[in-house]
């Protein structure tokens, strides 16, 4: 998350805080709550910085080329999908997924990353437009939502763009796996009550994403369930230097957690574990 994203999180918290505080205990306490949240957001911006800039490591290539018959893997979404926070290309989510797919399928994997740092759900169609019309991914992985929360994008708008992108990918012949919005309660760099407000908004979006993605025929992975506890209990290991994006270890754990649905989407396995949801057969 960049400084601007932290600033926007402060703004959505202020909006939510005003409504809750005014409704519960009156305007005077509401005003004090706003001041508190503004101070907390300013402090968060001061400590976050941009140690990685705003460009993720470039990881696109063919993994395990000697296996042949490459699987076409596409990554769409925000900074997590792009791999910001990883020290090098091999530590990104895309690279980790590619290696996991290659190991299980004994096929090469060609990774294409259209995800961009700072993206919101409305930018998914733009990412698809950046691909050649002839490009046909075997499986597309989408991770998006954190910036929708911090930028106060209405949930209905977020899921609309997500659904349309899933449908467009399926027209291309791709199976789709959606990692829902991470639970922002893991972001210890945000003090309370700012963190709780962001966490509540992220959980609401994740629930709506899961319902919409499943309805559109995608596999759904609840990142809050399958990997969130690791970030909460081991933040020093799982987060990168900015305390917002995953580290290489965090991406390794996230890829491992998402892999069952990716493999199921490819027809390599039948069942998916807790925190995963397969599309309803048609």
């Amino acid at each position: 998350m960049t400084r601007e994203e932290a600033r926007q999180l402060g703004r959505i918290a202020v909006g939510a805080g005003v409504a809750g505080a005014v409704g519960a205990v009156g305007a005077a306490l509401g005003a004090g709550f706003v001041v508190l949240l503004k101070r907390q957001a300013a402090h968060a911006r001061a400590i976050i910085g941009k140690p990685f800039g705003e460009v993720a490591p470039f990881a696109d290539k063919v993994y395990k080329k000697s296996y042949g018959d490459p699987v076409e893997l596409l990554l769409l979404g925000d900074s997590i999908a792009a791999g910001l926070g990883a020290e090098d290309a091999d530590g990104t989510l895309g690279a980790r997924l590619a290696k996991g797919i290659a190991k299980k399928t004994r096929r090469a994997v060609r990774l294409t990353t259209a995800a961009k740092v700072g993206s919101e759900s409305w930018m998914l169609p733009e990412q698809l437009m950046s691909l050649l019309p002839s490009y046909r991914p075997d499986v597309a992985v989408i991770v998006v939502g954190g910036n929708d929360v911090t930028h106060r994008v209405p949930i209905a708008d977020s899921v609309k763009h997500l659904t349309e992108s899933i449908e467009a990918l399926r027209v291309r012949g791709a199976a789709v796996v959606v990692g829902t919005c991470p639970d922002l309660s893991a972001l210890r760099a945000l003090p309370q009550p700012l963190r709780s407000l962001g966490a509540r908004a992220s959980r609401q979006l994740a629930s709506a994403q899961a319902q919409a993605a499943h309805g559109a025929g995608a596999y759904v992975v609840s990142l809050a369930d399958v990997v969130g506890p690791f970030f909460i209990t081991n933040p020093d290991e799982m987060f990168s230097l900015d305390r917002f994006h995953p580290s290489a270890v965090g991406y390794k754990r996230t890829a491992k957690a998402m892999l069952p649905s990716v493999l199921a989407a490819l027809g390599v396995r039948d069942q998916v574990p807790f925190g995963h949801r397969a599309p309803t057969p048609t």
Side-chain angles (χ1 to χ4, degrees):
M1 183 179 291
T2 65
R3 290 191 182 193
E4 176 59 24
E5 290 165 358
R7 182 180 298 112
Q8 294 291 346
L9 182 52
R11 290 172 182 164
I12 63 134
V14 167
V18 170
V22 171
V25 295
L29 181 56
F33 197 51
V34 170
V35 172
L36 170 63
L37 290 170
K38 284 183 176 179
R39 288 176 178 172
Q40 290 185 340
H43 178 68
R45 292 195 300 271
I47 64 175
I48 293 167
K50 296 183 181 180
F52 306 106
E54 296 183 0
V55 179
F58 184 76
D60 290 7
K61 66 177 185 179
V62 178
Y63 291 80
K64 294 294 182 180
K65 187 182 296 186
S66 62
Y67 288 171
D69 188 21
V71 174
E72 295 288 347
L73 170 64
L74 173 64
L75 268 288
L76 297 168
D78 57 22
S79 54
I80 293 178
L84 188 68
E87 295 178 356
D88 54 35
D90 285 342
T92 62
L93 178 62
R96 292 291 187 182
L97 285 172
K99 294 173 186 176
I101 294 169
K103 182 177 181 180
K104 294 295 184 179
T105 64
R106 308 302 293 179
R107 293 174 59 186
V109 179
R110 181 182 290 109
L111 172 64
T112 299
T113 305
K116 300 294 182 184
V117 174
S119 289
E120 302 167 27
S121 295
W122 69 266
M123 300 177 185
L124 291 173
E126 292 184 356
Q127 294 177 13
L128 285 171
M129 290 285 290
S130 72
L131 303 169
L132 292 174
S134 60
Y135 176 62
R136 295 291 182 268
D138 293 303
V139 61
V141 174
I142 303 175
V143 181
V144 73
N147 296 319
D148 294 64
V149 172
T150 61
H151 293 180
R152 298 184 296 174
V153 177
I155 289 178
D157 291 347
S158 294
V159 298
K160 174 178 178 291
H161 294 299
L162 176 62
T163 300
E164 289 174 349
S165 298
I166 293 169
E167 292 171 348
L169 285 163
R170 296 191 68 198
V171 168
R172 286 181 181 244
V176 183
V177 179
V178 174
T180 58
C181 183
D183 187 345
L184 298 188
S185 67
L187 300 179
R188 299 297 178 88
L190 296 179
Q192 297 288 12
L194 183 60
R195 191 194 320 158
S196 292
L197 291 168
R200 183 187 307 165
S202 65
R203 288 193 292 268
Q204 290 173 342
L205 176 57
S207 177
Q209 286 178 321
Q211 182 176 354
H214 184 261
Y219 285 80
V220 178
V221 182
S222 171
L223 295 183
D225 288 329
V226 302
V227 77
F230 295 99
F231 282 86
I232 292 172
T233 58
N234 300 295
D236 293 339
E237 179 181 44
M238 301 296 288
F239 282 106
S240 60
L241 292 175
D242 65 5
R243 306 187 205 182
F244 277 83
H245 295 96
S247 64
V249 174
Y251 281 121
K252 181 178 181 180
R253 174 62 66 175
T254 302
K256 182 178 180 180
M258 295 190 73
L259 192 59
S261 276
V262 176
L263 294 175
L266 290 169
V268 176
R269 62 178 291 168
D270 297 324
Q271 303 295 321
V272 291
F274 169 77
H276 296 244
R277 189 178 181 189
T280 302
T282 57

